[in-house]
Amino acid sequence: TTTVVKLYELEENTYIVDTPGFSNFELAEIQSKDLQYYFIEFRKYIDKCEFVGCTHIKENNCGIKEVLKKGKISQERYERFCKIYAELKEKEERKW
């Protein structure tokens, strides 16, 4: 159990905070279509996708899935992306 606030620097200008009192984390301000930009390792490969608006999940000729196969993006990070994407899409569909 976290009892004090601690700031961890992951890389330059990228931090994560461990703080008591949070039992839930929500990404309410992020739209599913923009999630790809929050995964910094995806950024340089996004333009390698055949289709504009590629979700990087079900499309063929996806630049992200190609570099995933080559091991340039970790499987764990990609699976995390897919999980968060699905949660965001579900929330967007329930919104209306």
Side-chain angles (χ1 to χ4, degrees):
T1 303
T2 302
T3 58
V4 297
V5 175
K6 184 155 182 171
L7 180 67
Y8 297 93
E9 183 175 10
L10 301 178
E11 58 186 54
E12 185 177 342
N13 295 322
T14 305
Y15 300 89
I16 189 167
V17 176
D18 185 15
T19 181
F22 284 99
S23 61
N24 200 340
F25 182 70
E26 188 172 327
L27 302 170
E29 72 282 352
I30 298 175
Q31 293 184 330
S32 60
K33 67 179 181 61
D34 296 328
L35 180 62
Q36 64 188 340
Y37 302 113
Y38 291 86
F39 282 72
I40 58 173
E41 66 270 40
F42 285 22
R43 292 181 188 168
K44 62 183 172 183
Y45 305 112
I46 290 170
D47 65 343
K48 307 287 187 220
C49 296
E50 182 176 356
F51 302 105
V52 174
C54 183
T55 64
H56 317 300
I57 296 173
K58 60 182 183 249
E59 297 85 357
N60 293 322
N61 302 320
C62 170
I64 301 300
K65 292 193 304 187
E66 287 301 315
V67 296
L68 175 67
K69 289 178 194 174
K70 295 176 182 175
K72 294 181 179 177
I73 293 175
S74 86
Q75 183 69 37
E76 183 179 81
R77 287 284 289 168
Y78 177 75
E79 289 171 6
R80 175 66 57 198
F81 168 83
C82 292
K83 182 178 188 297
I84 294 170
Y85 183 87
E87 290 171 4
L88 293 173
K89 282 300 279 186
E90 181 181 333
K91 186 183 297 183
E92 290 167 359
E93 289 169 5
R94 285 191 317 226
K95 184 177 180 179
W96 306 110

